[in-house]
Amino acid sequence: MSMADERGGSFRRHALVLASAVALLVAGGSAGALLAADNPDPAPKPGAAARHLLLTGKYAEAIESYRPLAEHDPAAAVGLSRCYREQGQTAKAIETLRAAQKRDPQAAAVAAELAWLSFLQGDYPAAERQAREAMQAQSDQLLARWVAAEVLRVTGRLDEARAAYKWFVDFYNDHEVKDAEQLRWIGLASAQYARWRRLSDQFDFLVNDLYPDALAADEDFWPAHYEAGLLYLEKFNQAEATREFKAALQINPSAAEVYAALAQLALQSYELDAAHKAIERAREINPHLLEALWCLADAHLANFETADAIKVLDEARELNPLAEPTLGRLAGAYAVIDGWPDKAPGSRCQKLLDAVLAAKDAKSKERRGGEFLLALAKTFELTRKYPPAAHFYRQAMERMPELIEPRGALGMICMRLGEEVQARKLLDEAFEIDPFNVRVSNSRKVLDVLDHYAVLETPHFVVRFDRGKDEILAKYVARYLEDEVYPALTRQFDFRPEGKSLFEIFQRSGNTSGHGWFSARMVGLPYIGTVGACAGKMVALASPNDMEQKYNWARVIKHEFVHVLNLQQTQFNIPHWYTEALAVESEGLPRPEAWDRMLAERVPKGRMFDLETINLGFVRPKTGEDWQMAYCQAQLYAQYMRKMYGDDASSKMLAAYADNLDTRSALKRCFGVKQEDFERGYLDFVKDIVKKLRAEAPHEEPSLAALERKHQAAPDDIDVSAELALARLERNEYRAAGQLAAKVLKEHPQQALAAYVMARLRMLIGEDAEAEQLLERALDRKAPNTRVLQLLASLRLSAEQYEQAAELYTLGARLYPDDRQWTKGLARVYLKSGDTKRLVKPLEAIAQADGDDLVIRKKLAQLSADARDYPAARHWAIEALHVDVMDAEIHRLLAQAEAALKHYPAAVGEYEVALKLKPKDSALRFALADACLQAGQTDRAKRELQELLAVDADYPGAQLLLEGLEEAPAAPHKK
């Protein structure tokens, strides 16, 4: 095995190459646990048992085993100190080492270990001095050399650091290294050298040869799995990273660093609950683990808990006051609260920037701050503040060109900001540097797909689309955006974004669906649970033409354009929940039935979000219901604001967010209310809604066992008996159900639930008439039992007693307006009875409640056209096209309506589209010719008729119309 010194250099033994390059995603090493003093001697030693206990996480037993050995064995003293350090007892670890050094001042391993502990605490002068002492005692003490190289890196002496890392490569190539820990330090240094020298092929060697060799040398050496996992993690190869981390934990279930890495892995997918659990476990083992604190801060930042993040970072700063990943995160957290540095020159963020980036003097060759700027940029990205994230990624690249991460990250930010030309350049450069980064690779593939897309520009929008599959859709999207969405929303929010907003519609390409490309476009990874998304300056959506289930694309693009406006007008400071609230409100649809059911079930149980937790429902919901609940509650927050504080409540809040206020401060400034008081009022508002919903909906049924206990305690309680009868019926226990119901009805013939049970039993044996009588007798028309009302109405419908059925469904709709089963029942009555005039109203209510229902919209367009209500026909045909622009019949209906309204050019356009979808439809071509004639396009009408007659010479009226056109003078143009 050997490593190349430079790109293209020869190997003494070549690394094995993985079959799939995508699986070889690798990342940088990390400061993890150190486990044994350098000693390549494989022979059993007195400390072997203690070492095994340490490596397998049995720290208390390892301490007992190491303690008597440490008095005379420096290696045992190192092992003992690591037992303490793994549990966060750094002071004890240092005390143990100093005692050992006092006994044996020439013990290189002890000095190296002290150097490493000093480095982790940010005492870089001490770390450098102690590492030098260790190397003086033993020139090839690898831990000491690793610490020395790391000190050079963090103090900005990057050229010297590079040479120090290269020393490890040379050492490995010149020696047969078989010690697991030595291989670890070689791997860490080689990875840094490979990054800085752009030797990407070395990462393949590390994960496939070097770290497996370490495990071959010592099967207990879990850090080999850990370091390989970190290599995969950096490249977003989540599957391989997970495999390596789990393998590490199988050896040592008490490895705190691995749990911190698992938390970082969870954060890549915004799985905040999983991240918190892993962090909690890491901190149980080692409460002073810096990596765990970084992950905890990131988890808080991702959930917009910035103040909590600052507290955590202050704790991290106590452990190491100079660690740039800590300081960068802290500066970013300050900026989230205080404002971006360019808008707050005296802010805490700016002061920290000045302190970290200040050079010693003008001649200094030190370049500190690259990793600080990288952490700062990542913090802005984590909090979705993309413009400043881009700014600081650029600064990180300039300050420390050796870093490989900023270029790809900046490319991803440019993708989100719609700056695709710049993104392409950056991502290509990033891929050249690091071809194993999954997000970079996927994003480049997205750009390759977009290269073949067509572009449609309007005054305010750029729409990119698959010309072969989505050209019709793109034209309607552009028209809707320009003519309806832009004027209405820019007026509503009193804001116009600079430049043209980019919309991209993704279709299937190769083996990847449109939704897959859409997901890769937004995050560089395979799956997003929505069909549309906005990053502030661009919107991507999966083409409805490629979806198994069609969706209302007009509603989606309007929703997403609200995000475009809100994010830009608040400089990306609006919280996720509030822009979703405004976007949902803009759709203009009533609350879905599913949301009502959620509210009725969850609010009484206290299973609600509040303003501190609602963002988590969007970013990483535990369930699909949590996701829907977040949308529902966000809309209710907006409605509550408007009800309590007026129609201008939203504009006031947007202005407050634009001034960099958080929600608590915004509520205080806009409405003079504390957040706690606002929450109490909101909760009362929601509870009032739920009271009405629960009054309309069937009550939650108790369990059968509970009903049996209640019945035994009160056998004469008719309501309990009826409830028990229903429970028996629903378990198909017909005899028991009938006996209970009959007993109740004998004494109380109008008991609704018992009548319902008995009616159901009668229907089972075909006695529908008897069932009707039971239900009619039990129906209270002022406060009907919904089960009785619904069953009686359905029986009347089945018996074709349409007026009586309509009366009952109308009663239900009047008493329970939020329960749409009654409106749907009315629609069934009128549809079955052929009463098309009365059918329209319930169908309109159903369509208004379900924005994605194509069938209802198409039916309404046809009914309206049949009734010669052409404005309504036009409206519903357009609504239907908002769900499916590829339906030729809808275009035909719209064209007919436009022609009837004397909008002849529009009719021509719709007939053209319909004919494009059904080119062999002679009736469509004849209608197009007639529309052209009405529009004054006589020559076009002649051509269409001639083409029609060429394929269908006997089409009725075509020849006669053509002859008339050829004989008649040119018709005047009709507008």
Side-chain angles (χ1 to χ4, degrees), residues 382-412:
L382 195 60
T383 54
R384 294 171 177 77
K385 299 184 186 301
Y386 300 127
H391 172 76
F392 287 108
Y393 277 130
R394 288 189 179 94
Q395 284 206 354
M397 288 166 56
E398 293 170 2
R399 188 82 175 189
M400 190 174 177
E402 290 84 353
L403 295 171
I404 63 170
E405 185 176 356
R407 187 168 269 96
L410 178 57
M412 295 295 300

PDB file of all heavy atoms in Angstrom, residues 382-412:
ATOM      1  N   LEU A 382     -27.728  27.516   7.173  1.00  0.00           N
ATOM      2  CA  LEU A 382     -28.579  26.714   8.037  1.00  0.00           C
ATOM      3  C   LEU A 382     -29.837  27.475   8.430  1.00  0.00           C
ATOM      4  O   LEU A 382     -30.906  26.891   8.600  1.00  0.00           O
ATOM      5  CB  LEU A 382     -27.802  26.295   9.289  1.00  0.00           C
ATOM      6  CG  LEU A 382     -28.364  25.188  10.159  1.00  0.00           C
ATOM      7  CD1 LEU A 382     -28.510  23.890   9.374  1.00  0.00           C
ATOM      8  CD2 LEU A 382     -27.468  24.972  11.370  1.00  0.00           C
ATOM      9  N   THR A 383     -29.711  28.787   8.578  1.00  0.00           N
ATOM     10  CA  THR A 383     -30.857  29.625   8.947  1.00  0.00           C
ATOM     11  C   THR A 383     -31.542  30.219   7.723  1.00  0.00           C
ATOM     12  O   THR A 383     -32.331  31.148   7.835  1.00  0.00           O
ATOM     13  CB  THR A 383     -30.415  30.734   9.910  1.00  0.00           C
ATOM     14  OG1 THR A 383     -29.329  31.467   9.334  1.00  0.00           O
ATOM     15  CG2 THR A 383     -29.974  30.159  11.238  1.00  0.00           C
ATOM     16  N   ARG A 384     -31.187  29.715   6.515  1.00  0.00           N
ATOM     17  CA  ARG A 384     -31.830  30.074   5.253  1.00  0.00           C
ATOM     18  C   ARG A 384     -31.635  31.532   4.864  1.00  0.00           C
ATOM     19  O   ARG A 384     -32.492  32.124   4.206  1.00  0.00           O
ATOM     20  CB  ARG A 384     -33.322  29.731   5.309  1.00  0.00           C
ATOM     21  CG  ARG A 384     -33.580  28.233   5.393  1.00  0.00           C
ATOM     22  CD  ARG A 384     -35.034  27.922   5.672  1.00  0.00           C
ATOM     23  NE  ARG A 384     -35.255  26.495   5.685  1.00  0.00           N
ATOM     24  CZ  ARG A 384     -34.926  25.686   6.694  1.00  0.00           C
ATOM     25  NH1 ARG A 384     -34.372  26.194   7.769  1.00  0.00           N
ATOM     26  NH2 ARG A 384     -35.146  24.394   6.638  1.00  0.00           N
ATOM     27  N   LYS A 385     -30.526  32.096   5.254  1.00  0.00           N
ATOM     28  CA  LYS A 385     -30.188  33.462   4.846  1.00  0.00           C
ATOM     29  C   LYS A 385     -29.115  33.346   3.753  1.00  0.00           C
ATOM     30  O   LYS A 385     -27.917  33.473   4.003  1.00  0.00           O
ATOM     31  CB  LYS A 385     -29.714  34.269   6.049  1.00  0.00           C
ATOM     32  CG  LYS A 385     -30.790  34.384   7.138  1.00  0.00           C
ATOM     33  CD  LYS A 385     -30.335  35.264   8.280  1.00  0.00           C
ATOM     34  CE  LYS A 385     -31.359  35.250   9.415  1.00  0.00           C
ATOM     35  NZ  LYS A 385     -32.686  35.706   9.019  1.00  0.00           N
ATOM     36  N   TYR A 386     -29.595  33.082   2.544  1.00  0.00           N
ATOM     37  CA  TYR A 386     -28.700  32.674   1.472  1.00  0.00           C
ATOM     38  C   TYR A 386     -27.781  33.774   0.949  1.00  0.00           C
ATOM     39  O   TYR A 386     -26.607  33.495   0.663  1.00  0.00           O
ATOM     40  CB  TYR A 386     -29.505  32.042   0.339  1.00  0.00           C
ATOM     41  CG  TYR A 386     -30.271  30.821   0.778  1.00  0.00           C
ATOM     42  CD1 TYR A 386     -31.634  30.700   0.542  1.00  0.00           C
ATOM     43  CD2 TYR A 386     -29.637  29.780   1.458  1.00  0.00           C
ATOM     44  CE1 TYR A 386     -32.339  29.578   0.955  1.00  0.00           C
ATOM     45  CE2 TYR A 386     -30.329  28.661   1.880  1.00  0.00           C
ATOM     46  CZ  TYR A 386     -31.682  28.562   1.621  1.00  0.00           C
ATOM     47  OH  TYR A 386     -32.382  27.457   2.035  1.00  0.00           O
ATOM     48  N   PRO A 387     -28.217  35.025   0.792  1.00  0.00           N
ATOM     49  CA  PRO A 387     -27.274  36.040   0.294  1.00  0.00           C
ATOM     50  C   PRO A 387     -26.050  36.221   1.187  1.00  0.00           C
ATOM     51  O   PRO A 387     -24.915  36.203   0.674  1.00  0.00           O
ATOM     52  CB  PRO A 387     -28.138  37.302   0.197  1.00  0.00           C
ATOM     53  CG  PRO A 387     -29.515  36.778  -0.054  1.00  0.00           C
ATOM     54  CD  PRO A 387     -29.604  35.537   0.796  1.00  0.00           C
ATOM     55  N   PRO A 388     -26.194  36.380   2.523  1.00  0.00           N
ATOM     56  CA  PRO A 388     -24.968  36.487   3.326  1.00  0.00           C
ATOM     57  C   PRO A 388     -24.178  35.181   3.374  1.00  0.00           C
ATOM     58  O   PRO A 388     -22.953  35.211   3.501  1.00  0.00           O
ATOM     59  CB  PRO A 388     -25.472  36.887   4.719  1.00  0.00           C
ATOM     60  CG  PRO A 388     -26.891  36.486   4.752  1.00  0.00           C
ATOM     61  CD  PRO A 388     -27.396  36.617   3.355  1.00  0.00           C
ATOM     62  N   ALA A 389     -24.868  34.042   3.267  1.00  0.00           N
ATOM     63  CA  ALA A 389     -24.138  32.766   3.202  1.00  0.00           C
ATOM     64  C   ALA A 389     -23.219  32.765   1.991  1.00  0.00           C
ATOM     65  O   ALA A 389     -22.043  32.386   2.075  1.00  0.00           O
ATOM     66  CB  ALA A 389     -25.125  31.597   3.132  1.00  0.00           C
ATOM     67  N   ALA A 390     -23.748  33.205   0.847  1.00  0.00           N
ATOM     68  CA  ALA A 390     -22.927  33.268  -0.363  1.00  0.00           C
ATOM     69  C   ALA A 390     -21.742  34.208  -0.169  1.00  0.00           C
ATOM     70  O   ALA A 390     -20.603  33.902  -0.575  1.00  0.00           O
ATOM     71  CB  ALA A 390     -23.778  33.726  -1.547  1.00  0.00           C
ATOM     72  N   HIS A 391     -21.982  35.340   0.455  1.00  0.00           N
ATOM     73  CA  HIS A 391     -20.910  36.321   0.670  1.00  0.00           C
ATOM     74  C   HIS A 391     -19.761  35.719   1.485  1.00  0.00           C
ATOM     75  O   HIS A 391     -18.583  35.864   1.130  1.00  0.00           O
ATOM     76  CB  HIS A 391     -21.485  37.535   1.401  1.00  0.00           C
ATOM     77  CG  HIS A 391     -20.463  38.522   1.857  1.00  0.00           C
ATOM     78  ND1 HIS A 391     -19.838  39.404   0.997  1.00  0.00           N
ATOM     79  CD2 HIS A 391     -19.924  38.751   3.088  1.00  0.00           C
ATOM     80  CE1 HIS A 391     -18.976  40.142   1.671  1.00  0.00           C
ATOM     81  NE2 HIS A 391     -19.016  39.759   2.943  1.00  0.00           N
ATOM     82  N   PHE A 392     -20.088  35.013   2.544  1.00  0.00           N
ATOM     83  CA  PHE A 392     -19.034  34.495   3.417  1.00  0.00           C
ATOM     84  C   PHE A 392     -18.407  33.211   2.879  1.00  0.00           C
ATOM     85  O   PHE A 392     -17.244  32.914   3.205  1.00  0.00           O
ATOM     86  CB  PHE A 392     -19.559  34.328   4.840  1.00  0.00           C
ATOM     87  CG  PHE A 392     -19.739  35.649   5.533  1.00  0.00           C
ATOM     88  CD1 PHE A 392     -20.998  36.157   5.787  1.00  0.00           C
ATOM     89  CD2 PHE A 392     -18.637  36.411   5.895  1.00  0.00           C
ATOM     90  CE1 PHE A 392     -21.161  37.385   6.408  1.00  0.00           C
ATOM     91  CE2 PHE A 392     -18.786  37.638   6.514  1.00  0.00           C
ATOM     92  CZ  PHE A 392     -20.059  38.136   6.767  1.00  0.00           C
ATOM     93  N   TYR A 393     -19.145  32.451   2.064  1.00  0.00           N
ATOM     94  CA  TYR A 393     -18.480  31.349   1.375  1.00  0.00           C
ATOM     95  C   TYR A 393     -17.403  31.895   0.438  1.00  0.00           C
ATOM     96  O   TYR A 393     -16.310  31.331   0.330  1.00  0.00           O
ATOM     97  CB  TYR A 393     -19.487  30.517   0.582  1.00  0.00           C
ATOM     98  CG  TYR A 393     -20.210  29.470   1.397  1.00  0.00           C
ATOM     99  CD1 TYR A 393     -21.593  29.358   1.345  1.00  0.00           C
ATOM    100  CD2 TYR A 393     -19.501  28.576   2.208  1.00  0.00           C
ATOM    101  CE1 TYR A 393     -22.271  28.395   2.084  1.00  0.00           C
ATOM    102  CE2 TYR A 393     -20.171  27.613   2.951  1.00  0.00           C
ATOM    103  CZ  TYR A 393     -21.552  27.531   2.888  1.00  0.00           C
ATOM    104  OH  TYR A 393     -22.212  26.574   3.619  1.00  0.00           O
ATOM    105  N   ARG A 394     -17.701  32.987  -0.236  1.00  0.00           N
ATOM    106  CA  ARG A 394     -16.692  33.596  -1.117  1.00  0.00           C
ATOM    107  C   ARG A 394     -15.489  34.066  -0.302  1.00  0.00           C
ATOM    108  O   ARG A 394     -14.336  33.894  -0.709  1.00  0.00           O
ATOM    109  CB  ARG A 394     -17.317  34.766  -1.886  1.00  0.00           C
ATOM    110  CG  ARG A 394     -18.287  34.345  -2.976  1.00  0.00           C
ATOM    111  CD  ARG A 394     -18.703  35.522  -3.852  1.00  0.00           C
ATOM    112  NE  ARG A 394     -19.617  35.087  -4.901  1.00  0.00           N
ATOM    113  CZ  ARG A 394     -20.947  35.128  -4.805  1.00  0.00           C
ATOM    114  NH1 ARG A 394     -21.505  35.607  -3.700  1.00  0.00           N
ATOM    115  NH2 ARG A 394     -21.702  34.703  -5.807  1.00  0.00           N
ATOM    116  N   GLN A 395     -15.763  34.684   0.830  1.00  0.00           N
ATOM    117  CA  GLN A 395     -14.656  35.143   1.671  1.00  0.00           C
ATOM    118  C   GLN A 395     -13.813  33.980   2.169  1.00  0.00           C
ATOM    119  O   GLN A 395     -12.583  34.083   2.242  1.00  0.00           O
ATOM    120  CB  GLN A 395     -15.200  35.955   2.854  1.00  0.00           C
ATOM    121  CG  GLN A 395     -15.651  37.353   2.485  1.00  0.00           C
ATOM    122  CD  GLN A 395     -15.565  38.301   3.661  1.00  0.00           C
ATOM    123  OE1 GLN A 395     -15.272  37.909   4.794  1.00  0.00           O
ATOM    124  NE2 GLN A 395     -15.815  39.573   3.407  1.00  0.00           N
ATOM    125  N   ALA A 396     -14.464  32.868   2.519  1.00  0.00           N
ATOM    126  CA  ALA A 396     -13.724  31.688   2.981  1.00  0.00           C
ATOM    127  C   ALA A 396     -12.822  31.160   1.869  1.00  0.00           C
ATOM    128  O   ALA A 396     -11.670  30.777   2.110  1.00  0.00           O
ATOM    129  CB  ALA A 396     -14.699  30.602   3.443  1.00  0.00           C
ATOM    130  N   MET A 397     -13.322  31.141   0.648  1.00  0.00           N
ATOM    131  CA  MET A 397     -12.517  30.701  -0.492  1.00  0.00           C
ATOM    132  C   MET A 397     -11.299  31.595  -0.691  1.00  0.00           C
ATOM    133  O   MET A 397     -10.202  31.121  -0.985  1.00  0.00           O
ATOM    134  CB  MET A 397     -13.366  30.707  -1.764  1.00  0.00           C
ATOM    135  CG  MET A 397     -14.406  29.609  -1.830  1.00  0.00           C
ATOM    136  SD  MET A 397     -15.645  29.895  -3.132  1.00  0.00           S
ATOM    137  CE  MET A 397     -14.585  30.063  -4.565  1.00  0.00           C
ATOM    138  N   GLU A 398     -11.507  32.892  -0.546  1.00  0.00           N
ATOM    139  CA  GLU A 398     -10.400  33.833  -0.747  1.00  0.00           C
ATOM    140  C   GLU A 398      -9.400  33.753   0.402  1.00  0.00           C
ATOM    141  O   GLU A 398      -8.185  33.812   0.186  1.00  0.00           O
ATOM    142  CB  GLU A 398     -10.954  35.257  -0.854  1.00  0.00           C
ATOM    143  CG  GLU A 398     -11.802  35.485  -2.102  1.00  0.00           C
ATOM    144  CD  GLU A 398     -12.541  36.811  -2.058  1.00  0.00           C
ATOM    145  OE1 GLU A 398     -12.345  37.567  -1.065  1.00  0.00           O
ATOM    146  OE2 GLU A 398     -13.312  37.092  -2.989  1.00  0.00           O
ATOM    147  N   ARG A 399      -9.915  33.627   1.602  1.00  0.00           N
ATOM    148  CA  ARG A 399      -9.039  33.626   2.775  1.00  0.00           C
ATOM    149  C   ARG A 399      -8.210  32.351   2.856  1.00  0.00           C
ATOM    150  O   ARG A 399      -7.050  32.374   3.261  1.00  0.00           O
ATOM    151  CB  ARG A 399      -9.899  33.772   4.037  1.00  0.00           C
ATOM    152  CG  ARG A 399      -9.110  33.977   5.315  1.00  0.00           C
ATOM    153  CD  ARG A 399      -8.714  35.418   5.457  1.00  0.00           C
ATOM    154  NE  ARG A 399      -8.054  35.681   6.730  1.00  0.00           N
ATOM    155  CZ  ARG A 399      -7.761  36.899   7.167  1.00  0.00           C
ATOM    156  NH1 ARG A 399      -8.083  37.960   6.442  1.00  0.00           N
ATOM    157  NH2 ARG A 399      -7.143  37.082   8.311  1.00  0.00           N
ATOM    158  N   MET A 400      -8.860  31.212   2.514  1.00  0.00           N
ATOM    159  CA  MET A 400      -8.171  29.921   2.650  1.00  0.00           C
ATOM    160  C   MET A 400      -8.514  29.050   1.449  1.00  0.00           C
ATOM    161  O   MET A 400      -9.399  28.201   1.513  1.00  0.00           O
ATOM    162  CB  MET A 400      -8.587  29.237   3.957  1.00  0.00           C
ATOM    163  CG  MET A 400      -7.760  28.014   4.316  1.00  0.00           C
ATOM    164  SD  MET A 400      -8.215  27.383   5.955  1.00  0.00           S
ATOM    165  CE  MET A 400      -7.173  25.927   6.043  1.00  0.00           C
ATOM    166  N   PRO A 401      -7.838  29.265   0.331  1.00  0.00           N
ATOM    167  CA  PRO A 401      -8.134  28.497  -0.893  1.00  0.00           C
ATOM    168  C   PRO A 401      -7.959  26.998  -0.721  1.00  0.00           C
ATOM    169  O   PRO A 401      -8.485  26.214  -1.523  1.00  0.00           O
ATOM    170  CB  PRO A 401      -7.132  29.055  -1.904  1.00  0.00           C
ATOM    171  CG  PRO A 401      -6.713  30.378  -1.365  1.00  0.00           C
ATOM    172  CD  PRO A 401      -6.768  30.252   0.122  1.00  0.00           C
ATOM    173  N   GLU A 402      -7.203  26.585   0.307  1.00  0.00           N
ATOM    174  CA  GLU A 402      -6.967  25.158   0.516  1.00  0.00           C
ATOM    175  C   GLU A 402      -8.271  24.401   0.826  1.00  0.00           C
ATOM    176  O   GLU A 402      -8.366  23.193   0.571  1.00  0.00           O
ATOM    177  CB  GLU A 402      -5.989  24.947   1.674  1.00  0.00           C
ATOM    178  CG  GLU A 402      -4.563  25.381   1.377  1.00  0.00           C
ATOM    179  CD  GLU A 402      -4.333  26.862   1.607  1.00  0.00           C
ATOM    180  OE1 GLU A 402      -5.329  27.597   1.869  1.00  0.00           O
ATOM    181  OE2 GLU A 402      -3.180  27.307   1.532  1.00  0.00           O
ATOM    182  N   LEU A 403      -9.266  25.073   1.409  1.00  0.00           N
ATOM    183  CA  LEU A 403     -10.499  24.401   1.788  1.00  0.00           C
ATOM    184  C   LEU A 403     -11.232  23.902   0.546  1.00  0.00           C
ATOM    185  O   LEU A 403     -11.337  24.618  -0.452  1.00  0.00           O
ATOM    186  CB  LEU A 403     -11.406  25.356   2.567  1.00  0.00           C
ATOM    187  CG  LEU A 403     -10.882  25.823   3.934  1.00  0.00           C
ATOM    188  CD1 LEU A 403     -11.780  26.926   4.490  1.00  0.00           C
ATOM    189  CD2 LEU A 403     -10.819  24.650   4.912  1.00  0.00           C
ATOM    190  N   ILE A 404     -11.760  22.690   0.613  1.00  0.00           N
ATOM    191  CA  ILE A 404     -12.483  22.162  -0.546  1.00  0.00           C
ATOM    192  C   ILE A 404     -13.993  22.364  -0.426  1.00  0.00           C
ATOM    193  O   ILE A 404     -14.700  22.305  -1.433  1.00  0.00           O
ATOM    194  CB  ILE A 404     -12.188  20.667  -0.771  1.00  0.00           C
ATOM    195  CG1 ILE A 404     -12.676  19.822   0.413  1.00  0.00           C
ATOM    196  CG2 ILE A 404     -10.728  20.435  -1.042  1.00  0.00           C
ATOM    197  CD1 ILE A 404     -12.621  18.335   0.136  1.00  0.00           C
ATOM    198  N   GLU A 405     -14.507  22.623   0.759  1.00  0.00           N
ATOM    199  CA  GLU A 405     -15.955  22.685   0.946  1.00  0.00           C
ATOM    200  C   GLU A 405     -16.607  23.964   0.424  1.00  0.00           C
ATOM    201  O   GLU A 405     -17.694  23.905  -0.166  1.00  0.00           O
ATOM    202  CB  GLU A 405     -16.296  22.502   2.425  1.00  0.00           C
ATOM    203  CG  GLU A 405     -17.780  22.422   2.699  1.00  0.00           C
ATOM    204  CD  GLU A 405     -18.079  22.141   4.157  1.00  0.00           C
ATOM    205  OE1 GLU A 405     -17.139  21.928   4.944  1.00  0.00           O
ATOM    206  OE2 GLU A 405     -19.271  22.138   4.499  1.00  0.00           O
ATOM    207  N   PRO A 406     -16.014  25.156   0.607  1.00  0.00           N
ATOM    208  CA  PRO A 406     -16.747  26.390   0.271  1.00  0.00           C
ATOM    209  C   PRO A 406     -17.183  26.489  -1.181  1.00  0.00           C
ATOM    210  O   PRO A 406     -18.273  26.991  -1.462  1.00  0.00           O
ATOM    211  CB  PRO A 406     -15.747  27.497   0.620  1.00  0.00           C
ATOM    212  CG  PRO A 406     -14.828  26.903   1.610  1.00  0.00           C
ATOM    213  CD  PRO A 406     -14.714  25.467   1.236  1.00  0.00           C
ATOM    214  N   ARG A 407     -16.370  26.010  -2.101  1.00  0.00           N
ATOM    215  CA  ARG A 407     -16.704  26.181  -3.516  1.00  0.00           C
ATOM    216  C   ARG A 407     -17.985  25.431  -3.869  1.00  0.00           C
ATOM    217  O   ARG A 407     -18.885  25.979  -4.514  1.00  0.00           O
ATOM    218  CB  ARG A 407     -15.531  25.715  -4.385  1.00  0.00           C
ATOM    219  CG  ARG A 407     -15.700  26.007  -5.854  1.00  0.00           C
ATOM    220  CD  ARG A 407     -14.405  25.801  -6.604  1.00  0.00           C
ATOM    221  NE  ARG A 407     -13.608  27.029  -6.670  1.00  0.00           N
ATOM    222  CZ  ARG A 407     -12.620  27.348  -5.840  1.00  0.00           C
ATOM    223  NH1 ARG A 407     -12.306  26.532  -4.848  1.00  0.00           N
ATOM    224  NH2 ARG A 407     -11.956  28.470  -5.978  1.00  0.00           N
ATOM    225  N   GLY A 408     -18.085  24.180  -3.461  1.00  0.00           N
ATOM    226  CA  GLY A 408     -19.304  23.421  -3.734  1.00  0.00           C
ATOM    227  C   GLY A 408     -20.503  23.994  -2.992  1.00  0.00           C
ATOM    228  O   GLY A 408     -21.610  24.065  -3.543  1.00  0.00           O
ATOM    229  N   ALA A 409     -20.288  24.403  -1.736  1.00  0.00           N
ATOM    230  CA  ALA A 409     -21.388  24.990  -0.964  1.00  0.00           C
ATOM    231  C   ALA A 409     -21.873  26.285  -1.601  1.00  0.00           C
ATOM    232  O   ALA A 409     -23.082  26.543  -1.674  1.00  0.00           O
ATOM    233  CB  ALA A 409     -20.932  25.246   0.474  1.00  0.00           C
ATOM    234  N   LEU A 410     -20.937  27.097  -2.084  1.00  0.00           N
ATOM    235  CA  LEU A 410     -21.316  28.334  -2.757  1.00  0.00           C
ATOM    236  C   LEU A 410     -22.068  28.025  -4.052  1.00  0.00           C
ATOM    237  O   LEU A 410     -23.039  28.717  -4.396  1.00  0.00           O
ATOM    238  CB  LEU A 410     -20.077  29.180  -3.052  1.00  0.00           C
ATOM    239  CG  LEU A 410     -20.313  30.496  -3.801  1.00  0.00           C
ATOM    240  CD1 LEU A 410     -21.300  31.386  -3.049  1.00  0.00           C
ATOM    241  CD2 LEU A 410     -18.991  31.230  -4.016  1.00  0.00           C
ATOM    242  N   GLY A 411     -21.653  26.996  -4.761  1.00  0.00           N
ATOM    243  CA  GLY A 411     -22.381  26.592  -5.958  1.00  0.00           C
ATOM    244  C   GLY A 411     -23.815  26.222  -5.644  1.00  0.00           C
ATOM    245  O   GLY A 411     -24.744  26.582  -6.382  1.00  0.00           O
ATOM    246  N   MET A 412     -24.011  25.512  -4.533  1.00  0.00           N
ATOM    247  CA  MET A 412     -25.374  25.159  -4.125  1.00  0.00           C
ATOM    248  C   MET A 412     -26.183  26.400  -3.770  1.00  0.00           C
ATOM    249  O   MET A 412     -27.380  26.491  -4.089  1.00  0.00           O
ATOM    250  CB  MET A 412     -25.318  24.209  -2.921  1.00  0.00           C
ATOM    251  CG  MET A 412     -24.702  22.860  -3.204  1.00  0.00           C
ATOM    252  SD  MET A 412     -25.654  21.869  -4.379  1.00  0.00           S
ATOM    253  CE  MET A 412     -27.212  21.729  -3.517  1.00  0.00           C
TER     254      MET A 412
END
